[in-house]
Amino acid sequence: LAHEIRNPLGAISNALGVIIKYSALSKDDKELFDIIEKETERLNQLVEDFINFSKPSQLNREEAHLHELIDETISILRLDRKLMGGLAINKSFTSDIPNLMLDRNQIKQVLWNLFINAIQAMPGGGILTIKTRYKATEDEVELTVADTGIGMSNDDLSQVFQPFFSTKDKGLGLGLNIAHKIVKEH
């Protein structure tokens, strides 16, 4: 079903791009097309979330450094000035983190989901704190993502990794579930 929805969405998105590129649009028309474009992107993301949720993952592990993946993900986030408005990022990285065998793309997806959730919890801006540390006795790397947002109730917190649970009006409730799945697979 997700693939059947994705194909017409792709056609709509492509046609919209052609119309925007080759048409002289009034300001009102441009605003309407911008809305259509954003909603099409949102639908495409929902379909992508469904696909990621349902498909078994195949890890393509390679040696990678977690700090590098964090920095790459932050660089992508910084491109969205609207998203980053009023936001400060505080990184506290331990220097003794070893290289890890990770699927780079999947771990970046985890980071993206964690960072986006934290940023969305601070609609007026705030501080996103990212910490790493190496727990040598357990031979584990710990990543902590924190924000200065309003927080979650204990009831919401107990359901945070449940599929389709969301506190957001436009959320599907799959982002943290997908992140949890990826981390467990690693």
Side-chain angles (χ1 to χ4, degrees):
L1 181 60
H3 289 291
E4 289 302 316
I5 293 170
R6 179 188 259 172
N7 292 337
L9 269 178
I12 291 168
S13 182
N14 289 340
L16 184 62
V18 170
I19 291 170
I20 290 172
K21 185 174 181 178
Y22 295 108
S23 298
L25 301 173
S26 70
K27 183 181 178 195
D28 289 342
D29 288 344
K30 174 85 169 100
E31 287 177 16
L32 289 174
F33 280 110
D34 285 345
I35 291 169
I36 294 169
E37 185 176 39
K38 286 178 183 160
E39 290 302 306
T40 303
E41 288 171 6
R42 188 169 76 85
L43 284 172
N44 198 46
Q45 185 57 56
L46 292 174
V47 170
E48 188 67 31
D49 286 347
F50 272 122
I51 290 170
N52 288 336
F53 174 70
S54 64
K55 73 178 178 184
S57 297
Q58 186 164 359
L59 298 178
N60 295 314
R61 293 178 195 245
E62 61 184 82
E63 193 169 312
H65 202 281
L66 183 59
H67 296 163
E68 181 181 307
L69 299 178
I70 292 169
D71 287 337
E72 287 174 17
T73 307
I74 289 171
S75 293
I76 295 167
L77 280 171
R78 287 189 196 276
L79 296 175
D80 189 337
R81 297 207 187 282
K82 185 177 177 185
L83 186 67
M84 298 299 290
L87 183 73
I89 297 177
N90 178 17
K91 296 187 300 185
S92 177
F93 292 168
T94 304
S95 62
D96 61 349
I97 300 285
N99 284 342
L100 304 167
M101 292 303 291
L102 303 171
D103 183 311
R104 296 175 62 85
N105 291 331
Q106 289 197 22
I107 293 300
K108 284 168 67 173
Q109 180 68 49
V110 168
L111 296 169
W112 179 265
N113 288 349
L114 292 175
F115 298 165
I116 289 293
N117 277 4
I119 291 167
Q120 289 174 344
M122 303 179 290
I127 302 170
L128 172 64
T129 302
I130 305 160
K131 294 181 183 180
T132 62
R133 76 177 178 132
Y134 180 58
K135 297 163 67 175
T137 55
E138 293 95 358
D139 194 30
E140 293 178 351
V141 172
E142 180 179 87
L143 167 69
T144 304
V145 178
D147 61 68
T148 56
I150 59 170
M152 298 178 79
S153 70
N154 286 336
D155 214 25
D156 288 346
L157 196 56
S158 70
Q159 299 180 68
V160 76
F161 293 117
Q162 294 300 313
F164 309 110
F165 172 77
S166 179
T167 58
K168 301 172 194 162
D169 292 337
K170 294 184 178 182
L172 250 190
L174 291 177
L176 287 179
N177 184 272
I178 291 168
H180 187 253
K181 177 182 164 190
I182 291 169
V183 171
K184 282 180 82 172
E185 289 170 348
H186 273 80

